[in-house]
Amino acid sequence: MRLNETQIKETILHPNSEVRVKAINYFVDAYSDDSSVMPFVIETIRKHGRESTQVRTLRRADQLAQSPVTLDWLIAELNLECDRGDKQWDNYLLSVALIVCNADPRLIVGRREEIISSPGFHEKLIPRIDHRLQLHKADWRECWQQLVEFCTAHAEDESFTRGTTRTANDIVDALGLKLANDTDAWYICKARFEELDKGLTGWLCEWSQIRLAGAVQDSAAIPWLLEKLAVFDFEFCDEAITALSRIGTDEVVQRIAEAFPNANNNFHHSCTDPLSHIHSESVVDVCLQLLEVAEDVDVAVSLGHAILAHFDNRAIDPVYELVAELGQEGLDPDSAELVYDLLLSSMIMGQRFPGYDELMDFAEQTNWGNGDYEEPRLSHNFFDDSQTVEGAVRAIMAEGGHPGQSEFEETNSTRSEASSRKIGRNDPCPCGSGKKYKKCCLSPGQVDPLSN
């Protein structure tokens, strides 16, 4: 039996901040357009205060659908009298401002002056909000032309910078909104992509095509997107995960199940993310079936997370059995994450299992895997658009007190080659946490470590 969405929304009010984030993730990771979720986030802020633990809650909420009522509340928060020099307040206000900045342009188009004149709205966000509003007013042909020009200008870039990512996301998502209900225009764009592929627009063109397929929920692209899950390059792989999660149908789940037996290890790891995000009828059954045949322990752990993501009571026993097989003494950081996830899901569903109390003590002693991590000042690194994602991760986590990658690699010699190439989504995170990059500083669907 699975919890219904009303029950999951009510969990956002839970006193445990880890529980609140897990409940919000249910909607965020599924790219839900349900604007009734955000009022629960607002209520939990009112109930539990604006202390630093709420910043993480708000940073996940910046992808939730907003309404005129929730936008009113957000703007009112940006007009609170407070000291921006205080790190806690600065982080809180930036988190609120980013929710406003990411809101549907149709909501904010008539309120630009009110928003940007608010004392808590960071002035460096003004170009971003203006670009999103400009894209909103453009037709699909104008958005397409911006995309072509952007891809051409960055054809020789070797990797993402955070500025490149944000701008590309905004252009593609604006175009996707215009094409979603215009089948003819979408077919025209698909044909034009084929022409661009023959030119000199580089890797960014293919990346944009992947993202756009998800934005318009193109089910015909599912086989092509599944092929990208087997690719090591995390930019393509992660964007394919986002696209498949946005399409969000049972067809995606069934095709993953069909491809799994003959797929490579990268596919096995990557497919668990859309299986976590798509809340279809068959997804729990598929995850349980794949867990039975998974030979790689890391893949089994990822499937454990996928099963738990749906708040189905059938998940508790097999995941607990997996945790018991791993053994608490032998838990690596990824396996420990599964313990935390199991506990959180059990708390939300009101279930217990053997060893619950002992594992809860373990979670509390380790601060749910966060250790002594101190929240950095988000604005120090957020506005450096020239940073690569990896560079941003290192800067942010160093400020928060995590060890550097070199220290971590000393205990992971088998992965020492990681420093000489791009970070894969299944590689150790460069922050030194010991977790996989995808489970730590790479938030699903966004190449922006501050979204985690």
Side-chain angles (χ1 to χ4, degrees):
M1 180 177 178
R2 290 164 72 167
L3 295 187
N4 61 47
E5 293 198 343
T6 299
Q7 292 171 307
I8 298 170
K9 290 173 189 174
E10 291 170 351
T11 303
I12 297 172
L13 304 177
H14 197 279
N16 185 306
S17 62
E18 299 291 332
V19 170
R20 295 197 293 266
V21 170
K22 183 168 177 62
I24 293 171
N25 285 345
Y26 177 91
F27 300 98
V28 171
D29 292 341
Y31 296 88
S32 171
D33 59 1
D34 184 353
S35 62
S36 71
V37 181
M38 186 63 191
F40 286 89
V41 176
I42 293 172
E43 182 59 29
T44 201
I45 297 294
R46 289 172 173 158
K47 184 177 180 180
H48 300 294
R50 302 182 181 90
E51 71 276 10
S52 59
T53 55
Q54 296 291 358
V55 171
R56 186 160 164 250
T57 302
L58 287 172
R59 291 299 294 122
R60 292 303 287 150
D62 72 359
Q63 298 301 310
L64 290 175
Q66 303 301 321
S67 68
V69 173
T70 61
L71 185 63
D72 285 343
W73 181 85
L74 291 163
I75 294 174
E77 291 295 284
L78 292 174
N79 282 279
L80 291 172
E81 292 185 10
C82 58
D83 178 13
R84 283 281 296 272
D86 178 81
K87 182 181 74 174
Q88 181 176 317
W89 270 111
D90 190 42
N91 285 351
Y92 178 78
L93 292 173
L94 178 55
S95 300
V96 171
L98 286 166
I99 299 177
V100 174
C101 208
N102 288 331
D104 189 325
R106 290 172 291 189
L107 286 176
I108 60 178
V109 66
R111 306 186 70 173
R112 175 191 178 276
E113 294 305 320
E114 182 184 6
I115 291 167
I116 68 170
S117 63
S118 300
F121 190 81
H122 205 295
E123 62 276 5
K124 290 185 178 180
L125 289 174
I126 295 175
R128 169 106 191 277
I129 202 170
D130 283 346
H131 185 225
R132 295 193 73 232
L133 292 175
Q134 180 264 320
L135 289 166
H136 169 67
K137 295 173 184 178
D139 61 27
W140 74 263
R141 292 177 179 81
E142 293 170 314
C143 289
W144 172 262
Q145 187 56 39
Q146 279 203 38
L147 179 60
V148 172
E149 292 172 358
F150 189 80
C151 289
T152 303
H154 293 275
E156 302 302 321
D157 290 4
E158 293 184 1
S159 62
F160 279 96
T161 64
R162 293 162 67 200
T164 303
T165 302
R166 290 170 182 152
T167 303
N169 284 355
D170 288 343
I171 297 172
V172 174
D173 290 348
L175 178 58
L177 282 174
K178 300 173 195 306
L179 298 178
N181 298 312
D182 191 338
T183 305
D184 291 340
W186 170 228
Y187 284 131
I188 291 171
C189 288
K190 287 175 74 172
R192 290 181 178 179
F193 267 121
E194 293 179 6
E195 292 300 315
L196 286 176
D197 284 340
K198 300 172 185 176
L200 300 174
T201 48
W203 59 270
L204 191 55
C205 172
E206 184 175 4
W207 178 88
S208 299
Q209 188 176 3
I210 294 170
R211 187 174 183 88
L212 192 57
V216 301
Q217 298 180 306
D218 182 12
S219 59
I222 293 173
W224 175 65
L225 293 170
L226 289 175
E227 292 176 5
K228 302 301 177 186
L229 298 189
V231 177
F232 174 78
D233 194 316
F234 89 81
E235 284 103 343
F236 288 160
C237 180
D238 202 65
E239 206 52 59
I241 289 169
T242 298
L244 290 165
S245 301
R246 279 179 155 181
I247 293 170
T249 61
D250 207 51
E251 181 184 355
V252 176
V253 174
Q254 293 301 323
R255 285 183 176 269
I256 288 174
E258 293 167 5
F260 191 90
N262 300 314
N264 67 15
N265 199 51
N266 205 66
F267 180 94
H268 288 166
H269 281 284
S270 302
C271 76
T272 59
D273 282 335
L275 290 176
S276 299
H277 305 161
I278 298 172
H279 305 306
S280 72
E281 289 297 323
S282 70
V283 66
V284 174
D285 288 328
V286 167
C287 289
L288 289 169
Q289 292 165 10
L290 297 182
L291 182 60
E292 289 182 0
V293 300
E295 298 177 355
D296 184 287
V297 172
D298 288 342
V299 173
V301 169
S302 294
L303 285 167
H305 285 293
I307 301 169
L308 292 170
H310 304 286
F311 303 117
D312 189 309
N313 60 11
R314 292 176 294 167
I316 301 301
D317 287 344
V319 174
Y320 172 70
E321 290 174 8
L322 177 59
V323 168
E325 287 176 13
L326 294 170
Q328 187 170 343
E329 293 302 320
L331 291 180
D332 63 18
D334 276 329
S335 303
E337 281 294 309
L338 186 61
V339 171
Y340 307 141
D341 205 3
L342 175 61
L343 288 166
L344 294 172
S345 296
S346 299
M347 292 167 68
I348 290 170
M349 291 187 285
Q351 287 188 258
R352 301 283 287 243
F353 53 83
Y356 178 93
D357 291 333
E358 292 82 355
L359 289 176
M360 183 61 74
D361 289 341
F362 168 72
E364 292 175 349
Q365 289 168 10
T366 59
N367 189 22
W368 297 88
N370 297 314
D372 296 326
Y373 175 65
E374 180 183 350
E375 189 78 48
R377 186 179 289 268
L378 303 184
S379 58
H380 280 181
N381 290 288
F382 186 84
F383 296 106
D384 185 358
D385 285 349
S386 65
Q387 280 187 319
T388 62
V389 176
E390 293 89 340
V393 170
R394 291 187 177 94
I396 294 164
M397 304 310 280
E399 185 173 347
H402 275 294
Q405 173 153 347
S406 58
E407 179 180 338
F408 177 61
E409 285 177 347
E410 288 177 5
T411 62
N412 289 270
S413 59
T414 58
R415 304 307 296 267
S416 61
E417 72 277 10
S419 61
S420 62
R421 55 169 170 77
K422 287 184 180 179
I423 301 170
R425 58 196 324 280
N426 295 307
D427 282 344
C429 186
C431 77
S433 66
K435 304 173 190 176
K436 286 187 177 64
Y437 188 33
K438 70 176 183 179
K439 291 294 184 184
C440 191
C441 293
L442 179 62
S443 179
Q446 299 184 90
V447 191
D448 187 345
L450 277 171
S451 297
N452 191 326

